[in-house]
Amino acid sequence: MKVIKPIYDTIYKETKRSKAGKAKHSHWRNYDDLNEFFWSVDCFRLGWPMRINSEFFSVPLPQAQRGNNKEEESKSYSDERWMGKVNFVEIRSFWHVFRSFDRMWSFYILSLQAMVIIAWNDSGNLSNIFDGEVFKKVLSIFITAAILKLAQALLDIVLSWKARNVMSLHVKLRYIFKAISAAAWVVILPVTYAFSWKNPTGFGQTIKNWFGNGSGSPSMFILAVFIYLSPNILSALLFLFPFIRRYLERSNYGAVKLMMWWSQPRLFVGRGMQEGPISLFKYSTFWVLLILSKLAFSYYLEIKPLVSPTKAIMRARVSVYSWHEFFPHAKNNIGVVIAIWAPIMLVYFMDTQIWYAIYATIVGGIYGAFRRLGEIRTLELLRSRFDSIPGAFNARLIPLDQTEKKKKKGLKATFSRKFDQVSTDKEKEAARFAQLWNKIITSLREEDLIDNREMDLMLVPYWADRSLNLIQWPPFLLASKIPIAVSMAKDSYGKGQELEKRLSRDKYMKSAVQECYTSFRNIINFLVLGEREKIVMQNIFQRVDELIERGDLLKDLDLGALPDLYDRFVKLIECLLENKKELKDQIVILLLDMLEIVTRDIMDGDVEGLQDSSHGGALGKDERMTPLDQQYQFLGTLQFPVTTDTEAWSEKIKRLHLLLTVKESAMDVPSNLDAKRRISFFSNSLFMNMPSAPKVRNMLSFSVLTPYFDEPVLFSLEHLEEPNEDGVSILFYLQKIFPDEWKNFLQRFDCKSDEKLRGELEEELRLWASYRGQTLTKTVRGMMYFRQALELQAFLDMAKDEELMKGYKAAELESKENPTSERSLWTQCQSLADMKFTYVVSCQQYSSHKRSGDPRAKEILKLMTKYPSLRVAYIDEVEEPSKDSSRKIDKVYYSALAKAALPTKSIDSSEAVQNLDQVIYRIKLPGPAILGEGKPENQNHAIIFTRGEGLQTIDMNQDNYMEEAFKMRNLLQEFLKKHGGPRYPTILGLREHIFTGSVSSLAWFMSNQETSFVTIGQRLLANPLKVRFHYGHPDVFDRLFHLTRGGVSKASKVINLSEDIFAGFNSTLREGNVTHHEYIQVGKGRDVGLNQISMFEAKIANGNGEQTMSRDIYRLGHRFDFFRMLSVYFTTIGFYFSTLLTVLTVYVFLYGRLYLSLSGLEEGLNKIKAIRDNKALQIQLAPVFFTFSLGTKTHYYGRTLLHGGAQYRGTGRGFVVFHAKFADNYRLYSRSHFVKGIELVILLVVYHIFGHAYRGVVAYILITITIWFMAGTWLFAPFLFNPSGFEWQKILDDWTDWHKWISNRGGIGVPPEKSWESWWEKEFEHLEHSGMRGIATEIILALRFFIYQYGLVYHLSITDSHKSVLVYAISWMIIFLILGLMKGISVGRRRLSADFQLVFRLIEGSIFITFLAILIILIAVVKMTIKDLIICILAVMPTGWGMLLIAQACKPLIAKSGLWGSVRALARGYEVIMGLLLFTPVAFLAWFPFVSEFQTRMLFNQAFSRGLQISRILGGQKRDRANSKE
């Protein structure tokens, strides 16, 4: 209570100060601040044990200054004496992008300056740099570098100001000295540079005048530059020798600490992160090549082509303007130069992201080839290499015996990894392969990915038959081989060369023939008991064996009768398969027939032993008839029916039956796409480089942790059968999406009636549907495969030869027959699996669900019952009486771990009943556990219940596969390898497969996007770039490393919204190492609808906005070397900042063109031939393909950095079988896409009307078509990707709903979904917490909308000859007059419409008539045209929107003035207009039925390829209903 409680109370108070994350980060301390406080000696001032009345985070006041009143003292500490942030202050500003990555931006700016200088001189060739004058100009980049360094130093001081109170003296001195040093160099370098010129011009001459006109001396400037660069030279040397830098950063010697003090503050993180020399070389080479490509492209295609026209523009003189020009005498047409160069500069700073994507694809593909990815992509490739699969199984998944030597690794092994084919004498290896392979195939059957036939064709025998002395391949490889061989053998008498060639060429046909013959011989020897009969049979088989050995089988035997023998053999096998006593006589007859065919037709001669038998006359030379009873005497004693080892016998006979009877090729086995993919990937992974598997007893133990909140556990039957508005239920939808899996499910339970399905199979039906959704049940099933895999692997490790040959099924059956036996092999295997694997699901609300009777609690209990080793962690909130004398009831919180209680027997039944859970551990908490972000807090409270060295974090939308579970112990061995670097791994990254890709086109797009990132992307990040972090589950953590270094999740409110990646940041900063491994994969579900995807993108963009201002990104940007810093930037926040720059480029380009066309500069410059003929200006910017998600990323990333408002957005895990209403789409996309799309359309329309430069068709299309496409995408993509988005009835319903929503009044308690007013207020709620800086930025950005009005009013026909500023002033008067009339009408409606309705109508009529009269006069007298009316609308509408944005930013002032109601009314009018603009084209297209059909096919094209016909869903549902009524 004196340690944990005070710390918790401090955290709790800080979270209250955060106002649920809405307060500025600088106003409250997060978990990082509290943690880093203990990195300083200040923490010792708290005393030990800590005084309860001490303020945890502030420096306590001296004793003399303390008051007597403890409450006042506490208040003064918490408010007045709040000591500020620790080490770092998170402030919302785009300057963080420069501050954290200042070296990168400095490099780009200096490179740009150098390239412009070179291009500006003479021919612009790069060789000009060797010219003395040019080189001297290029040296001016060091002055720019000094200025940038000063900006960085000042930024550090400004942005760290609120941490000054807790900052130590040496850190303060470091900031001050850096600023002073930078300021000094800003003076020294320009002065020495000015004196290096004999006759400088401009500012250089001014400097010489200040410091005296001495003679020029370049050596002084060179010396200054050398001194200035000396720290950089030292850093470069240390970069080349990373082990020295690593030693210096870790050293505690005073001299070393003093030297390192200047380069970085002494913290417990960010030290010793250097990689080994090989890794350093690889990622340095990658970035050197990329930067060279980028700079060459920028110079030759962006900068150099613009220099010549820029010079011409600067020489040109434009005297006639189309508007009132405030700076008519400005030199060099500087406004035009800015308008032309600004978009190019943005492209220059952004296009590295494109080059990174290109290089990442190339290098990632090369790495994938080296790692042998994709070698087995199809089942055909698998069949061709299946003879190596058993060897690969044993080499990869079976521990090496001590006698076996490990194979050497080298370059040859990288390119060619071959495994020995399993030889026939390696019975143990074959048996192990059979156990593992069959476990995989049976799991596919249990998941309904294959049917019974396919399972039988893919299984190999569980019970090894030692007498066969050959490998028994799965029947799908041997299918149709025997019938083909029989057919070929029939005509092969005397000409068997063709069959011999086929057998030698087709190894599987040869194997099938050998197995059938050997099995036939074994079956006959097993059945026949009589001594004489055995002699006959032995003689026959001995003769055949001799012929085989000599190679004379086809020559000496007449195989023309082989089909008859084959038919009898098939009938014999069918009888044996039934194993019924009454079939014995029939078996005897079949055996006699077969004996006759062999001896009389095939061997065509006597068989030794037949003449001496009582039956010899019939089968010898004598043709006399013998009585029937004597015939039976020959085979009178048979070992039939079989009563011992029936399962092994049944399996052998069943397999033989398949080999004999399957006549069609099994090339399509399995037919399910997912089963094909899984088997192919698993087989391919066995040929990849992975550590050898240890024995289960020796492997690293691990836990799996899944955070769960309130997602679906198990779908209820009511939920599955509940139809949506189209009459489509989820169950019906799933049956159409997964038709083959539905058939397999019905076959598995032999279900042929709907009554059985809804009755005794209801639970199985719910499970089948839940396994195809994103439910907790699916996740738990997948993770529990780990335990099943470990059980089997433990059996293979521990089983003796005899037990191994019997198979694990025999051990499992024996354990079930003797459940009380604690020493049975299977019991030991289960115990060992439980020791090595733990699965904890952190069900945060399990306790409250139980108390409220929520069905989810019962379903979770069912999961614990089904999987006894499953553990559930939860937060238990109970009420207990207070321990003091107040008799109050306090809420007490516990972190609890529960399991399913042991089954108990009911009073009236002997059967076990399971209905309870049992608490294992119960830990009292100091208060509510969820103080920060919910998901990481949920993980952190449960991590204490995990065990082992490894910890895999698995999300609720993930799945696992049996075959992948077998490779887990291999993966854990990666923790024991250094992977070519100085450190062992701390996070093992895994590959993911998106299993929701087949649901719809959008899901497929999302799946491809995710797949490219989790394969090529993460592969490259881990190696060679060495900057892979943790991007979400299913990575495996070094549990002990992270438990002692901050856990696996950072949970501070808002700043750690993307909690996953911060775990990677934290691990790397604390000298961890993150790797990526692609030989193992985990299933992952993704959002499948546009709205869900957009909310996910918004969450990620918000998270990246928060990352931008985080201390982790700042430290990584400063502590990494230059090239790893580039990798961090372009793979984290740089992607989103580049996206923002991409969109900004379009706006800057269009607004620049708007300025040129409306001002008249474009028309004036086009009269100059040199500019008019220059093609570089015409195609300087052709924006590439823009996607819809570009708008989402840009909007939420930019808004988060400016104003905050980031929040976790639950995307849901449902199916896309619903139609999103128009109002829903409008609410979600209005500000992020619709407003920006309409703005782009207006810009394009205005430029089309007044532009002069791009009159050529090709040029105009190149410039504008992609922007039109982007605008159209932003406006209409939500409706295009909305199911049933163009159905007329839906359109009518949407319009009614939209009208109701837009008309409803808001108020307290009215949700945004019900009222436009509530939604509108919520949309700019973030501005209330933005601060002056954010509000000022918002106002400045809104001013751009006034450009339209200023430029367009001068293009009216009535103002053609007037360029006075009064024209603009009059336009504002007209706008205010219109707004005043609107306000007057609104007030009049409220005050007069009830009592003086007639008067109010007369006033309205008179206003309308007056307006009409003015319009007629303008048209008739002043000659106003339709074009003028359009221009007026284009001028006024953006101005009104800009005024709205400013009013929203200044809401407190507007509200005080009493005008807020008018602002709301104006905003409602704009929303109605935007809604009509969007709704009209959609409604028009809905008139045509083919549009809806096209949309449906486009949306669900992937599902169509798998048999789904969405167009028939409604019809099928209606037919089903009609049939049920009949």
Side-chain angles (χ1 to χ4, degrees), residues 534-570:
K534 280 192 173 184
I535 292 171
V536 173
M537 299 302 174
Q538 286 173 2
N539 290 335
I540 294 173
F541 288 123
Q542 186 176 354
R543 183 177 175 189
V544 172
D545 291 340
E546 289 173 357
L547 292 172
I548 292 173
E549 193 174 342
R550 295 203 311 263
D552 296 332
L553 182 71
L554 299 177
K555 295 178 182 177
D556 295 357
L557 296 183
D558 183 3
L559 300 182
L562 194 60
D564 295 333
L565 180 64
Y566 167 79
D567 293 338
R568 304 302 194 283
F569 190 27
V570 171

Side-chain angles (χ1 to χ4, degrees), residues 605-670:
D606 296 335
V607 176
E608 188 178 346
L610 275 180
Q611 290 83 353
D612 301 330
S613 69
S614 60
H615 195 66
L619 294 172
K621 306 287 184 182
D622 196 350
E623 297 291 336
R624 292 175 298 170
M625 296 294 294
T626 42
L628 191 62
D629 56 348
Q630 289 187 16
Q631 289 185 14
Y632 281 103
Q633 289 175 6
F634 182 69
L635 292 170
T637 54
L638 294 178
Q639 190 170 323
F640 185 84
V642 180
T643 56
T644 58
D645 292 332
T646 53
E647 285 207 32
W649 171 263
S650 175
E651 182 184 66
K652 182 192 300 184
I653 299 301
K654 194 174 184 180
R655 173 181 172 83
L656 194 53
H657 186 262
L658 283 171
L659 294 182
L660 293 169
T661 57
V662 176
K663 296 184 178 180
E664 70 275 10
S665 173
M667 295 297 287
D668 62 336
V669 174

Side-chain angles (χ1 to χ4, degrees), residues 1110-1124:
S1110 70
R1111 66 191 70 203
D1112 303 80
I1113 281 289
Y1114 173 77
R1115 287 166 182 166
L1116 288 170
H1118 280 253
R1119 304 299 175 83
F1120 273 157
D1121 59 60
F1122 180 75
F1123 296 121
R1124 280 182 87 189

Side-chain angles (χ1 to χ4, degrees), residues 239-299:
F239 168 74
L240 295 175
F241 302 98
F243 60 93
I244 299 177
R245 179 67 182 249
R246 195 181 311 121
Y247 169 78
L248 292 174
E249 290 184 359
R250 291 172 173 174
S251 175
N252 288 316
Y253 289 110
V256 175
K257 287 164 65 176
L258 180 63
M259 184 177 70
M260 300 304 295
W261 164 78
W262 181 260
S263 64
Q264 62 183 43
R266 190 165 180 79
L267 297 174
F268 287 104
V269 296
R271 299 190 295 172
M273 296 191 296
Q274 291 75 21
E275 289 294 331
I278 296 175
S279 298
L280 177 71
F281 173 77
K282 286 194 291 187
Y283 67 70
S284 299
T285 303
F286 175 89
W287 277 109
V288 167
L289 293 174
L290 191 152
I291 290 171
L292 288 175
S293 304
K294 179 258 184 304
L295 293 180
F297 178 85
S298 297
Y299 182 76

Side-chain angles (χ1 to χ4, degrees), residues 943-992:
I943 195 174
I944 194 67
F945 299 124
T946 58
R947 299 180 310 186
E949 291 93 340
L951 175 64
Q952 184 177 29
T953 50
I954 289 292
D955 211 344
M956 248 293 301
N957 61 341
Q958 294 192 271
D959 190 15
N960 194 26
Y961 313 121
M962 175 60 74
E963 63 272 17
E964 301 305 315
F966 285 134
K967 293 179 282 189
M968 192 63 184
R969 57 179 177 174
N970 302 74
L971 177 73
L972 292 170
Q973 290 299 103
E974 299 281 3
F975 280 124
L976 307 179
K977 296 169 59 179
K978 284 192 175 181
H979 298 275
R983 291 175 294 277
Y984 290 101
T986 52
I987 299 178
L988 305 178
L990 305 190
R991 175 190 177 114
E992 292 174 324

Side-chain angles (χ1 to χ4, degrees), residues 1010-1045:
E1010 283 285 309
T1011 302
S1012 67
F1013 175 68
V1014 301
T1015 54
I1016 291 177
Q1018 293 191 25
R1019 179 190 311 157
L1020 186 78
L1021 295 182
N1023 192 9
L1025 299 186
K1026 290 293 182 181
V1027 292
R1028 188 192 186 278
F1029 300 114
H1030 174 54
Y1031 304 100
H1033 312 84
D1035 292 356
V1036 182
F1037 290 83
D1038 181 336
R1039 179 173 168 273
L1040 300 180
F1041 177 92
H1042 287 89
L1043 272 179
T1044 55
R1045 291 168 178 80

